[in-house]
Amino acid sequence: MDKQRIKAYYSFLFKILNTISVNWGNSQALNSLLLNNLEKLDDNFAKVLQIWATDELSKVEPSRAKEIALVISDFSIQIQSFPFGSRASNLEIALTGNKMALTVFTREASSQQWHIEHWAVLQTNLANVYCDRIKGNRAENLEAAIEAYQLALKVFIQESFPEEWATIINNLGTAYNERILGNRAENLEVAINAYRLALKVRTREAFPEKWASTQDNLGSAYDQRIKGDRAENLEAAIEAYKLALKIRTLEELPQEWAKTHFNLSSTYVARIKGDRAQNLEAAIKACEVALQVYTQENSPEFWAKTQKSLAIAYRQRVHGNRTNNLQAAMNSYNSAFQVFTREAFPADWATLQYNLGNLYSDSNQKKHTQDLGAAIQAYNLALQIFTREAFPADWAMTQSSLGTTYTLQGKIDEAIECLQLALEIYTPTSLPQECLRCSRKLGNIAFAITLWNEAIKGYNNAIDAVEQIRTWATSESRRQEILEESIDLYQNMVQACINAGQIEKAFEYSERSRSKRLVDLMASYNLSQGEEIPPNVQELLQQYEELQQQIDQERQSHKSENSRSETRAAWEAYNEAIASLETQKQQVWENLRREDAVLAGEIQVNPLSLSEIQKLIDQPNTAILSFYTTNSDTHIFIVQQNKISLHTCTGQGLNTLQAWIEQNWLLPYMNDSQKWETQINTILRELAERLQISELIYQHLQGIEELILVPHLLLHQIPQQFSF
């Protein structure tokens, strides 16, 4: 900068400080000054503020330094919420101002209570800026915000400062809601718990507007929640938003009213319950309502966000003409791009590029090459911002979508590579829903081109994710639904293992599928209910629960450092701690299983390995026949003391065999049981032929004197009236 420009900045800074000093508590004069000098509200001004404040505060007396710091901190608050000029630059100025004020108001500098309280206020303001900050590394900004909030809570404790405490807890919940580092599922649980704590102080009667704000935040957290039942979480989000709207009305709080409707729109797009077409219409309506308040002139950022949400809803819309809906989506994206430029809002710009890729990838049912090429270009543009280091979850999401689009193009190698990259972030324990979708894609692609080992890896991840999701389900009916939705994964896994010549692994996965269903049945019929739990079993249960609580606490308190090397070290230490606790928990469960197998089974399923099953066979002339039926075939595993073999009845799968059993066994029995009894020999003879019993005996059962039959009845696929 030339000297004249620097002089102009200094003159502007002095006018700001003087205006605040003369008009303390009245923001109108400052706003007028800022509006007339928008061109000076840039990053250069932030640097001038830092240079001047550093020099000035070091020269003046402590009392004068405090006066200046108070003026600077007040300016920082006002510039943070100033709606005009560059939002990114305004936040940088606010960040600089808060940091300068904190060089004077340190916690150690004075024992006076007002000084300590103002230090805590500044920490809160600093955290608020970091939460909103556009520039810098988003993950690091949020970590800095969390740290500052936690420092403020050392002063603003609930007993002495309930209102301030609740505000900070609410804001801390928002930081965890948006947190990038750490375990996403656990971060959201921390956010939900924080909002619930805040609501104990922020009641509707005492603080109606703040109550509504926290309800809105709670809705956002439930909308994104990973743990628990997805459908119920979305209903909880909608309920929280509706509660917020009891206070946030168009007449009283138009901006807040619009924000809650904006939030509602994304929840209706994702909603599982209700009619899909109607949910999308509700999403579109919510966006249109929000746009009654948000305009490009008065609320450019929220206007652009709402345009993006409107585009997402139109892209998926059921009603109306498909071509018109896609054009409406494109129009909304183009509108959002007017505000969300790469320079001003890089993360939002990247999100738009990702969404644009989704639009191109499904814009034509015939998947024209031109559309798919445009989708790939958009995803790659998004990846220029969504790097693995800065935005790991968004990076993985984009890699997954890129992999799907490469599949549509027929570029299988590229597709597999992208999906494998995504799965470096999407793990069964951290992001199970995303891991399930991505792993299923990978498994299916590899299966289709006979890459059996890659298919096995994909399905293994997907099955682990399914079983993690099931542990978070809140009802037995939902647990069963999850298994039903995923049974193809177990079938494909068994078939891939067979095709790869891994018979032992195929058998173990068939047993894994069966054990899940049996545990559901045990839980459904409450086999252990009514029995008094022995004291030693109660002690083991308590140990198991305490270890789980330690794991939960470890995940919530884990906080990565800012530098990359420290982050890796902290992350490795965290993983080791979790692994150690999980090992201890597993040992307690093993002890519990020895004491009460049924109760242990309801807590956790641990299917037997092949070697464990073989140890149960006490005679060399005994064999276990384990039947596993897929959609196309029935596989019969023959397990003996020292070996396992396989006999496959090709063509006798669920689609054929189940229909035959229904027509020739179940329906005749229900219609006329006496006549059925006279025909049983004929029915069994044909069933034996279908299952190739003669060939099975001749090829595998020579010398076997005792058979143990284990049928694989997929009861969840048999009509309810036929379950037995």
Side-chain angles (χ1 to χ4, degrees):
M1 287 188 295
D2 57 43
K3 292 183 179 180
Q4 188 173 357
R5 183 70 173 165
I6 294 173
K7 185 177 180 181
Y9 277 120
Y10 273 98
S11 175
F12 179 45
L13 173 60
F14 297 150
K15 287 180 181 178
I16 288 173
L17 299 178
N18 183 65
T19 300
I20 293 173
S21 299
V22 173
N23 301 277
W24 194 265
N26 181 4
S27 61
Q28 186 174 354
L30 178 63
N31 286 341
S32 178
L33 175 63
L34 297 178
L35 278 171
N36 291 326
N37 293 270
L38 289 178
E39 75 284 354
K40 295 188 184 72
L41 294 175
D42 56 16
D43 292 353
N44 288 326
F45 181 79
K47 293 176 183 177
V48 167
L49 172 60
Q50 180 179 5
I51 293 169
W52 176 83
T54 301
D55 179 62
E56 187 71 14
L57 294 173
S58 66
K59 295 188 302 186
V60 299
E61 293 294 322
S63 59
R64 177 57 181 161
K66 287 181 181 180
E67 293 175 1
I68 295 172
L70 285 171
V71 174
I72 292 174
S73 65
D74 184 75
F75 169 58
S76 298
I77 294 172
Q78 295 194 55
I79 193 64
Q80 181 184 353
S81 59
F82 187 63
F84 303 100
S86 168
R87 173 72 169 151
S89 295
N90 291 348
L91 290 169
E92 292 305 299
I93 295 168
L95 184 67
T96 301
N98 279 298
K99 286 182 176 180
M100 290 296 98
L102 279 167
T103 64
V104 175
F105 285 96
T106 64
R107 191 172 184 186
E108 299 77 20
S110 173
S111 60
Q112 291 182 316
Q113 184 62 26
W114 79 271
H115 181 104
I116 295 172
E117 288 176 17
H118 194 72
W119 170 83
V121 168
L122 286 171
Q123 292 291 351
T124 304
N125 294 342
L126 184 68
N128 293 341
V129 176
Y130 270 121
C131 276
D132 293 342
R133 194 183 186 199
I134 295 168
K135 296 188 176 183
N137 181 288
R138 180 63 176 159
E140 293 178 1
N141 287 338
L142 290 169
E143 295 306 297
I146 290 170
E147 182 179 8
Y149 284 135
Q150 290 171 339
L151 286 172
L153 286 171
K154 294 180 181 296
V155 175
F156 290 135
I157 60 176
Q158 183 178 3
E159 293 74 17
S160 304
F161 302 92
E163 187 174 353
E164 291 84 354
W165 174 86
T167 297
I168 297 170
I169 288 292
N170 172 80
N171 294 348
L172 184 61
T174 299
Y176 271 101
N177 192 8
E178 299 178 8
R179 193 183 187 206
I180 294 169
L181 300 183
N183 182 289
R184 179 62 177 154
E186 298 300 336
N187 287 340
L188 289 167
E189 294 306 299
V190 173
I192 289 171
N193 289 335
Y195 294 139
R196 288 173 174 167
L197 284 172
L199 286 170
K200 292 182 178 181
V201 174
R202 292 182 153 193
T203 63
R204 181 175 178 178
E205 295 73 23
F207 304 100
E209 290 185 22
K210 292 180 178 179
W211 173 83
S213 175
T214 304
Q215 289 289 356
D216 184 80
N217 292 339
L218 186 61
S220 175
Y222 270 116
D223 178 86
Q224 300 174 69
R225 193 184 188 202
I226 295 170
K227 290 189 175 184
D229 182 86
R230 178 62 175 156
E232 294 301 328
N233 287 338
L234 292 170
E235 295 306 303
I238 291 171
E239 178 61 25
Y241 290 140
K242 288 182 176 179
L243 286 173
L245 288 171
K246 292 181 180 296
I247 302 298
R248 294 181 160 189
T249 64
L250 175 60
E251 296 75 21
E252 297 293 329
L253 298 164
Q255 290 286 330
E256 292 80 1
W257 174 83
K259 180 176 179 291
T260 301
H261 277 98
F262 161 74
N263 289 338
L264 260 175
S265 67
S266 63
T267 307
Y268 273 119
V269 167
R271 193 183 189 198
I272 296 169
K273 293 188 176 183
D275 180 78
R276 177 64 177 158
Q278 292 302 320
N279 287 338
L280 290 169
E281 293 305 302
I284 291 170
K285 179 65 175 177
C287 287
E288 291 173 344
V289 164
L291 289 172
Q292 293 177 24
V293 174
Y294 293 148
T295 67
Q296 188 173 359
E297 292 73 28
N298 67 17
S299 305
E301 184 176 350
F302 282 108
W303 175 82
K305 286 180 182 292
T306 308
Q307 292 289 352
K308 182 194 72 175
S309 292
L310 186 60
I312 292 172
Y314 267 116
R315 175 185 147 237
Q316 301 178 53
R317 192 184 191 199
V318 176
H319 291 165
N321 178 275
R322 177 66 174 161
T323 301
N324 292 342
N325 288 338
L326 292 174
Q327 185 58 55
M330 182 63 76
N331 293 340
S332 290
Y333 281 137
N334 288 335
S335 294
F337 273 119
Q338 295 176 28
V339 174
F340 289 151
T341 63
R342 180 169 181 168
E343 294 73 24
F345 295 90
D348 290 297
W349 176 84
T351 300
L352 282 178
Q353 292 292 352
Y354 169 79
N355 289 331
L356 195 60
N358 292 342
L359 180 64
Y360 278 123
S361 67
D362 66 3
S363 63
N364 191 300
Q365 293 180 355
K366 295 181 180 180
K367 302 295 185 295
H368 288 322
T369 303
Q370 182 178 357
D371 292 332
L372 295 176
I376 290 170
Q377 182 181 11
Y379 291 138
N380 282 320
L381 285 172
L383 288 171
Q384 293 178 11
I385 302 299
F386 289 154
T387 63
R388 180 173 179 171
E389 293 75 19
F391 298 92
D394 294 306
W395 174 83
M397 173 184 69
T398 309
Q399 292 287 0
S400 178
S401 296
L402 188 57
T404 302
T405 308
Y406 275 132
T407 304
L408 297 172
Q409 270 196 332
K411 296 181 178 179
I412 302 304
D413 291 343
E414 291 88 341
I416 290 176
E417 181 182 1
C418 288
L419 294 171
Q420 288 173 333
L421 286 172
L423 287 170
E424 294 176 7
I425 302 298
Y426 290 159
T427 68
T429 53
S430 63
L431 294 166
Q433 292 283 2
E434 291 81 356
C435 178
L436 172 57
R437 284 192 291 269
C438 192
S439 299
R440 189 194 292 269
K441 290 178 191 176
L442 179 59
N444 289 344
I445 291 170
F447 193 99
I449 60 174
T450 68
L451 290 176
W452 305 123
N453 289 331
E454 289 301 326
I456 289 169
K457 291 178 185 177
Y459 291 136
N460 178 68
N461 262 343
I463 289 170
D464 286 346
V466 166
E467 293 173 4
Q468 178 65 72
I469 294 167
R470 291 179 80 249
T471 66
W472 291 342
T474 55
S475 68
E476 285 305 318
S477 61
R478 179 56 188 151
R479 284 165 58 83
Q480 293 176 23
E481 286 176 6
I482 292 168
L483 186 58
E484 290 172 14
E485 293 164 359
S486 315
I487 199 63
D488 65 301
L489 294 173
Y490 290 93
Q491 290 188 22
N492 290 349
M493 181 63 158
V494 169
Q495 191 64 59
C497 291
I498 291 171
N499 295 346
Q502 300 180 29
I503 306 304
E504 293 185 8
K505 182 175 282 189
F507 170 72
E508 288 177 347
Y509 270 94
S510 72
E511 291 302 306
R512 189 167 173 175
S513 171
R514 193 194 330 273
S515 65
K516 298 297 179 189
R517 181 58 180 160
L518 289 175
V519 166
D520 279 346
L521 291 174
M522 285 196 302
S524 297
Y525 288 105
N526 298 310
L527 295 182
S528 61
Q529 277 194 358
E531 299 179 6
E532 184 176 349
I533 300 177
N536 59 329
V537 175
Q538 288 181 340
E539 183 178 350
L540 289 169
L541 279 173
Q542 184 176 353
Q543 292 177 20
Y544 188 91
E545 292 172 358
E546 287 175 353
L547 284 166
Q548 184 58 58
Q549 289 174 3
Q550 289 182 46
I551 291 169
D552 293 340
Q553 290 170 1
E554 183 72 25
R555 285 173 170 164
Q556 290 180 11
S557 62
H558 170 64
K559 178 177 179 292
S560 300
E561 299 295 335
N562 282 338
S563 76
R564 187 174 301 177
S565 60
E566 290 175 337
T567 295
R568 287 175 179 171
W571 184 254
E572 288 173 2
Y574 161 71
N575 281 339
E576 288 177 6
I578 291 293
S580 174
L581 290 169
E582 288 286 3
T583 301
Q584 295 176 53
K585 190 180 77 170
Q586 186 65 23
Q587 184 58 56
V588 171
W589 182 85
E590 293 287 352
N591 296 337
L592 180 61
R593 185 173 66 164
R594 284 192 286 271
E595 298 291 338
D596 191 331
V598 172
L599 185 59
E602 291 184 7
I603 295 172
Q604 174 182 320
V605 177
N606 191 27
L608 296 175
S609 66
L610 173 61
S611 60
E612 289 174 317
I613 291 174
Q614 287 177 320
K615 289 177 183 177
L616 301 175
I617 304 173
D618 56 0
Q619 298 294 329
N621 57 359
T622 298
I624 296 175
L625 297 188
S626 178
F627 291 75
Y628 188 86
T629 307
T630 67
N631 288 329
S632 57
D633 306 312
T634 291
H635 301 292
I636 306 172
F637 296 94
I638 303 97
V639 183
Q640 295 174 255
Q641 271 187 340
N642 299 312
K643 70 174 184 178
I644 180 173
S645 52
L646 175 69
H647 183 83
T648 297
C649 306
T650 305
Q652 297 299 318
L654 285 172
N655 297 333
T656 301
L657 192 59
Q658 184 170 285
W660 180 87
I661 291 173
E662 182 177 330
Q663 292 298 320
N664 295 276
W665 184 295
L666 299 176
L667 288 176
Y669 177 81
M670 294 178 65
N671 292 333
D672 189 340
S673 60
Q674 292 182 348
K675 182 179 179 181
W676 176 84
E677 290 178 3
T678 65
Q679 299 173 343
I680 187 64
N681 288 336
T682 302
I683 296 171
L684 289 175
R685 190 178 300 112
E686 183 176 347
L687 180 59
E689 291 174 358
R690 286 177 173 272
L691 296 179
Q692 304 172 12
I693 299 299
S694 297
E695 293 90 333
L696 175 68
I697 294 171
Y698 178 76
Q699 295 177 17
H700 302 283
L701 301 177
Q702 298 294 327
I704 297 298
E705 297 179 2
E706 181 182 12
L707 286 176
I708 303 171
L709 302 181
V710 185
H712 182 257
L713 296 175
L714 295 178
L715 298 180
H716 59 280
Q717 294 197 9
I718 298 176
Q720 186 62 39
Q721 64 267 32
F722 297 144
S723 297
F724 53 86

